[in-house]
Amino acid sequence: EGLTIVGLNWRDERADALDMLRQAGNPYHAIPTDPDSDVAVDLGVYGAPESFIIDKQGVIRDKHVGAVTPELWRERLAPLIQRLQAES
């Protein structure tokens, strides 16, 4: 709630990515593609999945390499997001 989730299609064919989202569900507000890895390089991405928490000013406040598990969400990401929302 209150979050904008943006995915980045980094190394997948568009049709394959859309098929996966149809099967698994699509939580994303937008999914730009990065065919030349320009965005991934700028963000320092070296493997997928990677998740970034970006504040309203566009500052990366956290980065996680790997899957977002319920435990990670509960213990690290949700508290950070709540704090950022309270600050704005």
Side-chain angles (χ1 to χ4, degrees):
E1 288 183 35
L3 298 178
T4 300
I5 302 175
V6 177
L8 179 65
N9 184 356
W10 176 34
R11 290 192 169 167
D12 294 321
E13 293 294 327
R14 179 171 170 74
D16 293 340
L18 292 174
D19 186 49
M20 187 276 305
L21 292 171
R22 274 191 289 278
Q23 292 177 32
N26 184 355
Y28 301 107
H29 176 78
I31 309 169
T33 58
D34 188 19
D36 298 322
S37 297
D38 295 328
V39 174
V41 168
D42 287 347
L43 291 172
V45 171
Y46 56 88
E50 293 190 23
S51 300
F52 298 82
I53 304 297
I54 302 172
D55 68 17
K56 290 181 179 181
Q57 290 73 39
V59 176
I60 296 173
R61 302 295 294 263
D62 194 17
K63 174 182 177 179
H64 173 73
V65 178
V68 175
T69 63
E71 179 181 2
L72 175 71
W73 177 258
R74 183 178 56 252
E75 294 179 5
R76 180 169 142 196
L77 301 180
L80 172 59
I81 290 167
Q82 290 170 352
R83 183 171 55 83
L84 292 172
Q85 289 174 328
E87 291 174 0
S88 60

